[in-house]
């Protein structure tokens, strides 16, 4: 009974609002020389483990004046991102993971040589280690290679030969394991991952195990969702060692996101997720440049899986996309009812004729530059088709989306002409309406491609606002439309080859050829605009002569259901590429050995000659890579000269971000829907680094997170109200960890010290209720008196720069390959000194990015 009462008292004291208000930085723990990226309290609360960029692990003794009890020189060759005490080992076994892709296990009972074993099963940075409270042998790890792996200290193994990505140069190098396990029962080969998101190009940042229901774990990373998995649902044919099919891993059972449309957004990545230890059903996630959200894992999805991009992706891949399955296109797809018995058109047909007439009128008005009339006609068209509930929903949504895009384009032109009744926010909302109506079929991609073409001004470069951003979007969806159409035709042909339907066999080739010409012709126009506007180099010797563009009004082809073969045959499509296909086709590759031409000064010292083995480089870089590199260089050259108030100051970053989505990876392959959040916690800023998030209090009464500008935010979990803002770092706070049973918080970030916050006995000199804006009403570490200004500044940062690109390691690796290729050209005298100056700028930019990566990841 006394134990229960003591527990209740502890819970009430820990969560007391007054004690939260009195939290003060009482101690700064030195001992590191770099950013402190990970903190872990021992189960008994008598030890605090820290890991840093200096590649060391420190163990502090809180009950002995926080003296450093142990310093472990880990042998890691890159920043330590995660470190944990192994449970039930008297805190003698410690696991660490770092940017060198290595997992190291230390046993402090071996004083002379604490390194017990190490594994290098991951091929990229190890971001998180999770342990099971009552299990001293098993743990999970997640990595930027997109995998989750399970390790058992009782089953040592020799790692499989493979390559890992260098933390500093992003170049591939052979994995090294030392020491190598020895003995009779040693397994050979890395255990298979239990989860693999690499095929979806999702780099994992965070992972959490449910303490009360340990079969559940959640992962999150470089897109808009937290994924919940159940280890009890491992496929029957999964084997830990030996061959596994790529699909033989755990399947997602639920997704969590504040965005419910199912679309993946790489710029809205998640930096951390965490289960509640007190109840097991609450899950929090921290979104970059956004807020923190609380979910209940028992909630049902807020949407049907049929509405998600993943489900529609499955339909498309199986050739069963509802919007594309009946025909390639159909000029009369809206009208199905026969005329009246007396030969006069039915009411249904009259409605169809009216809709077609309005659409044709809007196009004619647009081509005649009568944009005010366009907007009026489009509004009438949308009103007309919205009331037709008995029409084919996919066709209607497609037409409405086309109409919204045309309206947005007309609004954009009027805004550029000085019309003050329209704003960029209004235009963005119209574009969002258009996108919300579309699925993942090739027709939808075509609609968006032409829509963004119109928004960007098409061939007319006449000061269109956000032109570069819109043309990048156009490029993305033009490629998706071509690829989607090709996949659709392959599916139709496969069905036709096994069918005796002669009519279908005769119909397909004719339309296929016509629409391929349309898609190819449009793609060439987009590429021509990219070259003329300097978004990419003219690698493919595109003809830039006046009149090289297709003499086609693409708006006429936007609503593809209203297009027939005759319309396309009337157009003459010419190739702008000399004796080769469009560069939007897959580029050819060749191996270029550059090891002999790269000096040792360019290589990481720690890696010696391993880095001299280059991965194959592209002879001709993809259109995406060209634009990406050109925009990065443009951003670098401008540097601090960019006026933050200029409307187009972040177009380059937006372009990179949009083009990043154009990588050829499949959509996330799951039929589960999306669970919406129960609560949102706002006010902090999560942009510059990858920040952790955690519950605080013995009953998880609070939510705690670091923030840019060096603050710690604490929210009341139930109300979402900010109850404390603490100054915890001179730059950025990344980690906050509450003590297991005392109201103490350990905080770390960019500084090389760990801050210890606990309630102070010093009383404020003024009353907080009477003078909330007076610093004397708060603890000396509190900045709650300045809450309004801090929150306002953070919201502005999230809004203005929060959509900047988060450069993934794969994108960065492509960028460095291009830089090395340029360097070789300089060495061989192919580039002149001006080009060499650009090369040096690229090198500096790479170093700057690595510096920021080491601080932020």
């Amino acid at each position: 009974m006394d134990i229960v009462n003591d527990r209740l008292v502890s819970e009430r004291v820990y969560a007391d609002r007054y004690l939260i208000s009195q939290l003060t930085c009482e101690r700064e723990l030195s001992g590191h020389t770099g950013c402190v990226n990970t903190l872990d309290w021992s189960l008994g609360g008598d030890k605090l483990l820290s890991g840093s960029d200096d590649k060391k692990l420190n163990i502090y003794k809180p009950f002995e004046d926080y003296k450093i009890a142990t310093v472990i020189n880990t042998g890691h060759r890159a920043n330590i991102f995660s470190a944990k005490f192994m449970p039930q080992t008297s805190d003698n076994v410690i696991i660490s993971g770092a940017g060198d892709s290595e997992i190291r296990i230390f046993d402090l009972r071996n004083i002379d040589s604490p390194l017990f074993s190490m594994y290098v099963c991951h091929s990229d940075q190890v971001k998180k280690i999770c342990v099971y409270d009552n299990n001293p042998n098993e743990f999970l790890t997640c990595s930027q290679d997109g995998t989750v792996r399970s390790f058992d200290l009782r089953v040592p193994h020799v790692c499989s030969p493979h390559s890992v990505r260098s933390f500093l140069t992003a170049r591939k190098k052979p994995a090294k394991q030392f020491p190598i396990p020895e003995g009779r029962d040693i397994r050979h080969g890395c255990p298979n991952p239990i989860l693999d998101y690499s095929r979806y190009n999702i780099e994992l940042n965070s992972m959490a195990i449910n303490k009360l229901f340990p079969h559940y774990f959640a992962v999150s990373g470089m897109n808009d969702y937290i994924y919940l998995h159940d280890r009890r649902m491992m496929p029957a044919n999964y084997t830990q060692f030996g061959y596994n099919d790529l699909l033989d891993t755990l399947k997602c059972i639920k997704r969590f996101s504040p965005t419910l449309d199912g679309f993946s957004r790489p710029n809205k990545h998640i930096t951390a997720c965490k289960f509640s230890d007190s109840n097991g059903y609450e899950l929090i996630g921290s979104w970059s440049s956004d807020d923190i959200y609380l979910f209940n894992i028992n909630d049902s999805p807020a949407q049907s899986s049929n509405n998600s991009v993943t489900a529609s992706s499955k339909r498309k891949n199986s050739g069963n996309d509802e919007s594309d399955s009946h025909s390639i296109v159909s000029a009369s797809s809206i009208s199905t009812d026969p005329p009246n018995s007396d030969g006069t058109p039915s009411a249904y047909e009259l409605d169809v004729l009216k809709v077609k007439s309005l659409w044709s009128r809007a196009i004619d008005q647009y081509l005649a530059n009568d944009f005010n009339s366009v907007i009026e006609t489009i509004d009438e068209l949308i009103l007309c088709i919205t009331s037709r509930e008995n029409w084919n929903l996919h066709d209607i949504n497609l037409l409405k989306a086309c109409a919204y895009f045309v309206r947005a384009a007309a609004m954009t032109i009027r805004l550029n002409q000085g019309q003050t009744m329209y704003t960029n926010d209004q235009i963005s909302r119209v574009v969002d309406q258009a996108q919300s109506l579309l699925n993942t079929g090739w027709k939808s991609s075509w609609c968006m491609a032409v829509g963004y073409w119109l928004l960007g001004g098409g061939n007319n470069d006449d000061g269109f606002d956000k032109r570069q951003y819109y043309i990048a979007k156009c490029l993305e969806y033009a490629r998706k439309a071509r690829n989607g159409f090709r996949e659709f035709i392959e599916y139709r042909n496969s069905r036709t080859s096994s069918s005796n339907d002669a009519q279908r066999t005769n119909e397909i080739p004719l339309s296929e050829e016509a629409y391929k010409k349309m898609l190819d012709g449009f793609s060439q126009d987009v590429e021509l605009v990219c070259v003329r506007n300097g978004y990419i180099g003219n690698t493919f010797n595109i003809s830039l002569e006046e009149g090289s563009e297709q003499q086609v009004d693409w708006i006429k082809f936007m609503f593809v259901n209203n297009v027939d073969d005759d319309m396309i045959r009337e157009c003459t499509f010419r190739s702008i590429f000399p004796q080769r296909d469009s560069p939007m086709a897959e580029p050819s590759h060749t191996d270029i050995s550059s090891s002999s031409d790269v000096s040792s000064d360019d290589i990481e010292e720690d890696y010696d000659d391993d880095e001299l083995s280059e991965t194959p480089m592209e002879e001709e870089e993809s259109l995406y890579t060209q634009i990406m590199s050109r925009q990065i260089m443009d951003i670098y050259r401008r540097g601090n000269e960019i006026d933050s108030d200029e409307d187009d100051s972040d177009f380059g970053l937006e372009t990179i971000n949009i083009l990043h989505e154009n990588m050829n990876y499949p959509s996330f392959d799951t039929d589960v829907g999306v669970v919406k959040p129960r609560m949102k916690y706002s006010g902090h800023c999560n942009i510059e680094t990858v920040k952790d998030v955690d519950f605080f209090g013995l009953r998880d009464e609070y939510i705690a997170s670091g923030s840019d500008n060096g603050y710690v935010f604490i929210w009341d979990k139930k109300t979402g109200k900010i109850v404390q803002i603490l100054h915890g770092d001179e730059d950025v706070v990344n980690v906050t960890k509450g003590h297991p049973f005392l109201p103490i918080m350990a905080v770390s970030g960019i500084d090389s010290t760990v801050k210890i916050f606990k309630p102070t006995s010093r009383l404020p000199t003024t009353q907080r209720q009477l003078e909330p804006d007076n610093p004397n009403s708060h603890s000396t570490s509190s900045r709650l008196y300045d809450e309004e200004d801090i929150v306002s500044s953070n919201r502005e940062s999230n809004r203005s720069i929060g959509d900047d690109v988060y450069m993934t390691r794969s994108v960065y690796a492509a960028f460095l390959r291009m830089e090395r290729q340029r360097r070789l050209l300089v060495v061989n005298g192919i580039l002149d000194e001006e080009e060499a100056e650009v090369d040096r700028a690229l090198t500096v930019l790479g170093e700057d990015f690595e510096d920021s990566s080491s601080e932020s990841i």
Side-chain angles (χ1 to χ4, degrees):
M1 188 66 178
D2 290 338
I3 296 177
V4 174
N5 289 333
D6 289 345
R7 175 71 180 180
L8 291 175
V9 171
S10 296
E11 290 177 359
R12 291 170 182 170
V13 169
Y14 203 128
D16 185 82
R17 181 69 64 86
Y18 177 75
L19 293 185
I20 297 295
S21 71
Q22 290 296 99
L23 285 174
T24 303
C25 183
E26 292 289 342
R27 184 68 63 92
E28 286 194 33
L29 309 182
S30 59
H32 286 294
T33 58
C35 308
V36 181
N37 305 312
T38 178
L39 297 172
D40 187 43
W41 293 97
S42 63
L43 187 61
D46 60 335
K47 299 181 185 71
L48 176 63
L49 174 66
S50 63
S52 168
D53 287 359
D54 62 11
K55 309 173 188 65
K56 294 181 181 180
L57 297 174
N58 287 348
I59 300 177
Y60 301 90
K61 289 289 192 72
F63 301 150
E64 298 179 31
D65 201 30
Y66 287 95
K67 74 175 184 181
I68 298 179
T70 306
V71 176
I72 303 175
N73 292 302
T74 62
H76 281 296
R77 294 175 289 181
N79 305 352
I80 297 174
F81 293 135
S82 187
K84 290 287 185 182
F85 289 109
M86 280 299 285
Q88 309 298 320
T89 65
S90 300
D91 306 325
N92 284 315
V93 177
I94 295 173
I95 316 290
S96 65
D100 55 9
S101 311
E102 296 176 358
I103 298 160
R104 292 179 173 251
I105 299 99
F106 302 91
D107 190 336
L108 302 184
R109 291 166 292 198
N110 302 323
I111 299 176
D112 295 333
S113 180
L115 180 61
F116 175 69
S117 59
M118 69 87 70
Y119 298 105
V120 60
C121 300
H122 288 291
S123 60
D124 212 329
Q125 302 174 31
V126 178
K127 302 311 292 287
K128 206 74 172 181
I129 298 171
C130 290
V131 299
Y132 296 92
D133 271 2
N134 297 312
N135 189 330
N137 298 300
E138 297 181 54
F139 62 93
L140 301 182
T141 62
C142 78
S143 164
Q144 279 194 180
D145 64 11
T147 66
V148 172
R149 293 180 178 271
S150 177
F151 292 86
D152 191 330
L153 298 181
R154 297 164 298 188
V155 187
H157 69 270
V158 176
C159 291
S160 310
H162 66 281
S163 295
V164 297
R165 181 173 289 163
S166 164
F167 177 69
L168 290 180
T169 66
R171 294 155 67 182
K172 294 290 186 179
K173 64 185 186 69
K176 286 185 177 181
Q177 183 183 18
F178 182 83
I180 296 176
E182 298 178 352
R184 295 180 55 187
D185 299 326
I186 302 299
R187 295 271 190 171
H188 288 270
C190 295
N192 293 309
I194 63 172
L195 193 62
D196 190 350
Y197 280 84
S198 62
R199 55 198 166 117
Y200 308 117
N201 196 32
I202 300 176
E203 299 177 1
L204 298 180
N205 290 329
S206 184
M207 175 175 56
I209 292 176
N210 194 313
K211 182 177 181 179
L212 298 183
F213 308 100
H215 46 275
Y216 288 134
F217 71 92
V219 295
S220 60
M222 295 306 300
N223 73 354
D224 207 16
Y225 300 96
I226 299 174
Y227 300 96
L228 179 65
H229 295 266
D230 187 340
R231 291 203 68 177
R232 298 171 300 180
M233 300 177 66
M234 186 68 72
N237 51 348
Y238 172 83
T239 59
Q240 185 178 16
F241 292 91
Y243 175 76
N244 258 3
D245 187 88
L246 196 61
L247 299 178
D248 291 337
T249 58
L250 282 170
K251 301 300 186 291
C252 174
I253 60 174
K254 281 185 182 178
R255 293 185 293 167
F256 304 87
S257 176
T259 306
L260 303 178
D261 59 10
F263 286 92
S264 179
R265 295 174 175 82
N267 64 319
K268 288 294 184 183
H269 59 277
I270 301 166
T271 62
C273 60
K274 180 71 170 63
F275 284 105
S276 167
D277 290 339
S278 67
N279 57 50
Y281 56 80
E282 289 180 327
L283 173 67
I284 51 175
S286 182
W287 268 250
S288 178
S289 70
D290 200 344
D291 300 319
I292 294 168
Y293 295 90
L294 174 72
F295 304 88
N296 188 318
I297 66 172
N298 295 323
D299 285 349
S300 298
Q303 63 162 101
S304 164
S305 62
N306 289 334
N307 293 332
S308 71
V309 66
T310 59
S312 58
S313 174
K314 276 193 170 185
R315 290 195 302 271
K316 182 192 77 171
N317 291 337
S318 64
N320 197 28
D321 191 310
E322 295 177 27
S323 62
D324 290 344
S325 60
H326 301 295
S327 62
I328 296 179
V329 289
S330 173
S332 59
S333 61
I334 296 180
S335 178
T336 56
D337 283 5
N340 295 325
S341 57
D342 59 0
T344 60
S346 65
Y348 187 94
E349 285 187 313
L350 290 174
D351 285 341
V352 171
L353 291 173
K354 181 179 180 181
V355 166
K356 290 185 174 182
S357 175
L358 289 171
W359 176 245
S360 298
R361 188 199 308 171
I363 293 175
D364 292 340
Q365 291 167 342
Y366 191 95
L367 296 175
N369 299 326
D370 186 3
F371 300 111
N372 286 335
S373 298
V374 169
I375 294 172
E376 294 176 0
T377 302
I378 289 296
D379 289 344
E380 184 180 354
L381 172 63
I382 293 173
L383 182 63
C384 180
I385 58 181
T386 300
S387 61
R388 303 302 186 263
E389 297 180 355
N390 58 328
W391 290 9
N392 183 292
L393 180 61
H394 293 285
D395 293 333
I396 294 305
N397 283 345
L398 183 62
L399 179 55
K400 286 175 69 175
C402 293
Y404 279 125
F405 267 119
V406 171
R407 192 187 200 285
M411 293 167 65
T412 299
I413 295 173
R414 296 297 289 128
L415 179 62
N416 290 340
Q417 293 173 345
Q419 175 60 260
T420 58
M421 66 181 297
Y422 302 117
T423 66
N424 283 320
D425 285 342
Q426 290 175 322
I427 295 170
S428 295
R429 285 196 291 271
V430 176
V431 173
D432 289 342
Q433 285 179 296
Q435 289 182 311
S436 67
L437 294 165
L438 298 171
N439 55 30
T440 58
W442 75 270
K443 296 181 186 178
S444 296
S445 297
W446 171 253
C447 169
M448 285 189 276
V450 179
Y452 280 112
W453 173 261
L454 298 177
L455 284 167
N459 288 317
N460 176 26
D461 184 11
D462 190 18
F464 272 69
D465 194 21
K466 292 191 175 183
R467 174 174 172 81
Q468 184 172 317
Y469 172 77
Y470 288 139
I471 294 300
K473 273 281 201 179
C474 172
L475 173 66
E476 172 193 2
Y477 286 108
R479 185 170 187 173
K480 286 184 177 180
R482 290 181 66 191
N483 292 341
F485 182 79
R486 183 179 65 251
E487 292 173 6
F488 172 73
I489 290 299
E490 289 173 355
Y491 167 74
R492 288 293 299 269
N493 288 343
S494 67
R495 289 184 60 188
T496 301
S497 63
S498 60
S499 171
N500 295 323
D501 190 344
Q503 182 178 2
R504 178 184 296 168
T505 304
N506 293 332
E507 286 177 356
I508 291 179
L510 183 62
S511 293
E512 176 185 354
E513 183 63 29
Y515 293 104
K516 281 177 64 177
K517 286 184 177 179
M518 178 186 74
L519 293 166
D520 289 345
F522 179 74
S523 297
Q524 292 186 15
D525 263 6
V526 178
E527 291 153 6
L528 180 61
V529 165
C530 287
V531 173
R532 281 182 172 174
N533 286 266
Y535 304 155
I536 60 174
N538 195 3
T539 307
F540 303 100
N541 297 321
I542 294 175
S543 173
L544 302 179
E545 297 178 0
E546 195 69 29
S548 297
E549 63 274 0
Q550 313 295 340
Q551 302 301 314
V552 177
D553 296 317
W554 292 113
I555 188 175
K556 294 180 178 180
F557 298 86
M558 187 179 191
F559 180 46
V560 73
N561 283 10
N562 202 41
V563 175
D564 56 30
D565 291 356
D566 291 336
M567 290 177 61
I568 298 175
R569 290 194 188 97
E570 291 175 1
C571 302
T572 301
F573 297 105
R574 63 174 65 86
S575 175
I576 58 176
F577 302 98
Q579 298 181 346
R580 67 164 288 135
D581 294 332
S582 162
M584 294 186 76
E586 292 298 321
S588 60
H589 293 74
T590 186
D591 290 346
I592 301 178
S593 177
S594 59
S595 60
S596 60
D597 297 312
V598 181
S599 67
S600 59
D601 294 337
D602 299 320
I603 310 302
E604 296 173 70
E605 184 176 351
D606 287 344
Y607 293 142
D608 300 325
D609 296 332
D610 291 341
E611 292 288 357
L612 293 176
S613 58
E614 297 275 354
T615 53
M617 293 193 300
E618 291 82 358
E619 184 179 37
E620 295 168 343
E621 291 143 354
S622 67
L623 198 63
Y624 162 75
T625 306
Q626 294 177 55
I627 294 182
M628 179 197 71
S629 62
R630 191 169 286 256
Q631 298 313 314
I632 292 176
M633 275 308 303
D634 180 59
I635 294 165
Y636 173 80
R637 290 192 188 100
R638 286 181 291 166
N640 295 329
E641 297 177 1
I642 300 176
D643 185 354
S644 60
D645 294 331
E646 293 180 6
D647 291 339
D648 61 348
S649 61
D650 60 343
F651 290 169
L653 289 172
E654 289 186 19
T655 305
I656 300 169
N657 194 32
I658 293 303
L659 291 174
H660 176 268
E661 301 174 19
N662 200 24
M663 304 293 282
N664 287 324
Y665 293 91
S667 301
F668 182 72
D669 193 18
T670 180
D671 285 331
V672 298
V674 182
V675 176
K676 67 180 181 181
R678 291 279 190 100
M679 183 66 70
K680 178 174 72 172
Y681 307 96
S682 305
H684 76 312
C685 185
N686 183 10
I687 296 176
E688 294 186 14
T689 59
V690 178
K691 296 176 184 63
D692 209 347
V693 66
D694 207 347
F695 291 92
F696 187 67
L698 297 186
R699 302 296 297 174
D700 295 337
E701 295 90 345
Y702 301 96
I703 307 295
S705 172
S707 175
D708 296 349
N709 303 321
Y711 296 120
V712 176
F713 278 72
I714 303 177
W715 295 266
D716 184 289
K717 185 180 71 175
K718 290 184 178 179
T719 66
K721 178 179 173 59
I722 297 172
V723 298
Q724 185 59 284
I725 301 176
L726 300 170
H727 181 260
D729 195 281
E730 293 305 316
D731 197 341
V732 177
V733 173
N734 290 329
V735 184
T736 62
K737 286 292 180 183
H739 190 274
F741 51 84
L742 294 175
I744 298 175
M745 177 182 288
V747 171
S748 68
I750 301 303
D751 291 349
S752 60
T753 58
V754 179
K755 280 80 171 178
I756 302 297
F757 289 84
K758 52 187 178 181
T760 178
S761 59
R762 294 186 295 271
L763 297 176
T765 58
T766 58
Q767 294 187 27
R768 179 178 171 184
Q769 289 79 5
L770 298 179
E771 300 181 53
D773 298 332
N774 189 335
N776 294 324
S777 301
H778 305 266
S779 72
T780 55
S781 298
S782 178
R783 298 296 182 271
L784 198 59
Y785 59 84
D786 203 20
E787 175 185 354
E788 185 176 344
D789 289 343
I790 292 174
V791 170
S792 176
S793 175
N794 287 342
R795 285 175 177 167
E796 177 61 24
S797 296
N798 283 331
R799 186 193 65 81
S800 60
I801 64 176
D803 286 335
D804 289 354
V805 64
Y806 179 94
M807 194 184 299
T808 64
R809 301 294 293 181
S810 55
V811 173
Y812 181 56
F815 171 67
L816 284 184
R817 284 198 299 272
M818 294 169 55
E819 184 272 326
R820 291 196 297 273
Q821 188 179 30
R822 288 188 177 92
R823 185 171 57 209
L824 292 174
L825 294 176
V826 173
V827 172
N828 294 326
I830 299 175
L831 297 182
D832 56 24
E833 284 303 314
E834 183 177 352
E835 299 278 359
E837 183 178 350
V838 173
D839 177 71
R840 286 192 292 272
L842 282 164
T843 303
V844 173
L845 179 62
E847 294 171 353
D848 290 344
F849 176 75
E850 282 296 348
D851 290 341
S852 64
S853 295
S854 65
E855 295 177 352
S856 63
I857 299 178

